[in-house]
Coordinates of all heavy atoms in Angstrom, one line a residue:
L98 N -143.4 -32.3 -123.4 CA -144.2 -33.3 -124.1 C -143.4 -33.9 -125.2 O -143.2 -33.2 -126.2 CB -145.5 -32.7 -124.6 CG -146.4 -32.1 -123.6 CD1 -147.6 -31.4 -124.3 CD2 -146.9 -33.1 -122.5
A99 N -142.8 -35.1 -125.0 CA -141.9 -35.6 -126.0 C -142.3 -37.1 -126.4 O -141.5 -37.9 -126.7 CB -140.5 -35.5 -125.5
G100 N -143.6 -37.3 -126.3 CA -144.1 -38.7 -126.6 C -144.5 -38.9 -128.1 O -144.9 -40.0 -128.5
G101 N -144.6 -37.8 -128.8 CA -145.1 -37.8 -130.2 C -144.1 -38.6 -131.1 O -143.0 -38.9 -130.7
Q102 N -144.6 -39.0 -132.3 CA -143.8 -39.8 -133.2 C -143.2 -39.0 -134.3 O -142.3 -39.5 -135.0 CB -144.7 -40.9 -133.8 CG -145.1 -41.9 -132.7 CD -145.8 -43.1 -133.3 OE1 -147.0 -42.9 -133.7 NE2 -145.2 -44.2 -133.4
G103 N -143.6 -37.7 -134.4 CA -143.0 -36.8 -135.4 C -142.9 -37.4 -136.8 O -141.9 -37.3 -137.5
T104 N -144.1 -37.9 -137.2 CA -144.1 -38.6 -138.5 C -143.8 -37.6 -139.7 O -143.2 -38.0 -140.6 CB -145.4 -39.3 -138.8 OG1 -146.5 -38.4 -138.4 CG2 -145.6 -40.6 -138.0
R105 N -144.3 -36.4 -139.5 CA -144.0 -35.4 -140.6 C -142.6 -35.1 -140.8 O -142.1 -34.9 -141.9 CB -144.8 -34.1 -140.3 CG -146.3 -34.2 -140.6 CD -147.0 -33.0 -140.1 NE -147.1 -33.0 -138.6 CZ -147.6 -32.0 -137.9 NH1 -148.0 -30.9 -138.6 NH2 -147.7 -32.0 -136.6
L106 N -141.8 -35.2 -139.8 CA -140.4 -34.9 -139.9 C -139.7 -36.1 -140.6 O -138.6 -35.9 -141.3 CB -139.7 -34.6 -138.5 CG -138.3 -34.1 -138.5 CD1 -138.1 -32.8 -139.3 CD2 -137.8 -33.9 -137.1
K112 N -137.9 -36.9 -131.7 CA -137.7 -35.7 -132.4 C -136.6 -34.8 -131.7 O -135.8 -34.1 -132.3 CB -139.0 -34.9 -132.4 CG -139.1 -34.0 -133.7 CD -140.3 -33.1 -133.5 CE -141.3 -33.4 -134.7 NZ -142.4 -32.4 -134.7
M149 N -142.2 -36.3 -120.7 CA -143.1 -37.4 -121.1 C -142.6 -38.1 -122.4 O -142.3 -37.4 -123.4 CB -144.6 -36.9 -121.4 CG -145.5 -38.0 -121.7 SD -147.2 -37.5 -121.6 CE -147.5 -36.8 -123.3
Q180 N -146.2 -42.2 -121.5 CA -147.7 -41.9 -121.7 C -148.3 -43.2 -122.2 O -147.7 -44.2 -122.5 CB -147.9 -40.8 -122.8 CG -147.5 -41.2 -124.2 CD -147.9 -40.1 -125.2 OE1 -147.1 -39.3 -125.6 NE2 -149.2 -40.2 -125.6
P204 N -148.8 -43.6 -129.4 CA -149.1 -42.8 -128.3 C -150.4 -42.1 -128.5 O -150.8 -41.7 -129.6 CB -147.9 -41.7 -128.4 CG -146.9 -42.4 -129.2 CD -147.6 -43.3 -130.2
N205 N -151.2 -42.0 -127.4 CA -152.6 -41.6 -127.4 C -152.8 -40.0 -127.4 O -153.8 -39.6 -126.9 CB -153.4 -42.2 -126.3 CG -153.0 -41.8 -124.9 OD1 -151.9 -41.1 -124.8 ND2 -153.7 -42.1 -123.9
G206 N -151.8 -39.3 -127.9 CA -152.0 -37.8 -128.0 C -151.4 -37.2 -126.8 O -151.0 -37.9 -125.8
N207 N -151.3 -35.8 -126.8 CA -150.6 -35.2 -125.7 C -151.6 -34.7 -124.6 O -151.2 -34.2 -123.6 CB -149.7 -34.0 -126.2 CG -150.6 -33.0 -127.0 OD1 -151.8 -32.9 -126.8 ND2 -149.9 -32.3 -127.9
A235 N -144.2 -28.1 -125.9 CA -143.9 -29.1 -126.9 C -142.4 -29.2 -127.2 O -141.7 -28.2 -127.0 CB -144.6 -28.7 -128.2
V236 N -142.0 -30.4 -127.6 CA -140.6 -30.6 -127.8 C -140.1 -29.9 -129.1 O -138.9 -29.6 -129.1 CB -140.4 -32.2 -128.0 CG1 -140.9 -32.7 -129.3 CG2 -138.9 -32.5 -127.9
D237 N -141.0 -29.6 -130.0 CA -140.5 -29.2 -131.3 C -140.4 -27.7 -131.6 O -140.2 -27.3 -132.7 CB -141.3 -29.9 -132.4 CG -142.8 -29.8 -132.2 OD1 -143.2 -28.9 -131.5 OD2 -143.5 -30.7 -132.7
L313 N -148.6 -24.1 -128.1 CA -148.3 -25.2 -127.2 C -147.4 -24.9 -126.0 O -146.3 -25.5 -125.9 CB -147.9 -26.5 -127.9 CG -148.6 -27.8 -127.4 CD1 -148.3 -29.0 -128.2 CD2 -148.3 -28.0 -125.9
K337 N -153.2 -41.0 -140.4 CA -151.8 -41.1 -140.4 C -151.3 -42.2 -141.2 O -152.1 -43.1 -141.6 CB -151.3 -41.3 -138.9 CG -151.5 -40.2 -138.0 CD -150.3 -39.4 -137.6 CE -150.6 -38.3 -136.7 NZ -149.5 -37.6 -136.1
E360 N -156.4 -39.7 -130.6 CA -155.6 -38.8 -129.7 C -156.5 -37.9 -128.9 O -157.5 -37.3 -129.4 CB -154.7 -37.9 -130.5 CG -153.7 -38.7 -131.3 CD -152.6 -37.8 -132.0 OE1 -152.9 -36.6 -132.1 OE2 -151.5 -38.3 -132.3
K388 N -141.7 -29.1 -137.6 CA -142.7 -30.1 -137.9 C -142.3 -30.9 -139.2 O -142.5 -32.1 -139.2 CB -144.1 -29.5 -138.2 CG -144.7 -28.7 -137.0 CD -145.2 -29.6 -135.9 CE -145.9 -28.8 -134.8 NZ -146.1 -29.6 -133.6
Ligands
LIG501 P1 -147.7 -33.0 -132.8 O1 -149.1 -32.7 -132.8 O2 -146.8 -32.2 -133.7 O3 -147.5 -34.6 -133.1 O4 -147.1 -32.9 -131.3 P2 -146.2 -35.5 -133.4 O5 -146.6 -36.9 -133.2 O6 -145.0 -35.0 -132.6 O7 -145.8 -35.2 -134.9 P3 -146.5 -35.6 -136.3 O8 -147.9 -35.0 -136.3 O9 -146.6 -37.1 -136.3 O10 -145.6 -35.1 -137.3 C1 -147.1 -31.8 -130.6 C2 -146.4 -32.1 -129.3 O11 -147.0 -33.0 -128.5 C3 -146.2 -34.1 -128.2 C4 -145.1 -34.1 -129.3 O12 -144.0 -34.8 -128.9 C5 -144.9 -32.6 -129.5 O13 -144.1 -32.1 -128.4 N1 -147.0 -35.4 -128.3 C6 -147.8 -35.6 -129.4 C7 -146.9 -36.3 -127.2 O14 -146.1 -36.0 -126.3 N2 -147.6 -37.4 -127.3 C8 -148.4 -37.7 -128.4 O15 -149.1 -38.8 -128.3 C9 -148.5 -36.8 -129.4

Side-chain angles (χ1 to χ4, degrees):
L98 304 176
Q102 291 183 290
T104 47
R105 281 170 287 174
L106 186 60
K112 215 188 236 188
M149 182 166 86
Q180 72 171 98
N205 66 348
N207 56 29
V236 71
D237 46 23
L313 219 173
K337 294 254 177 171
E360 298 189 338
K388 300 284 185 195

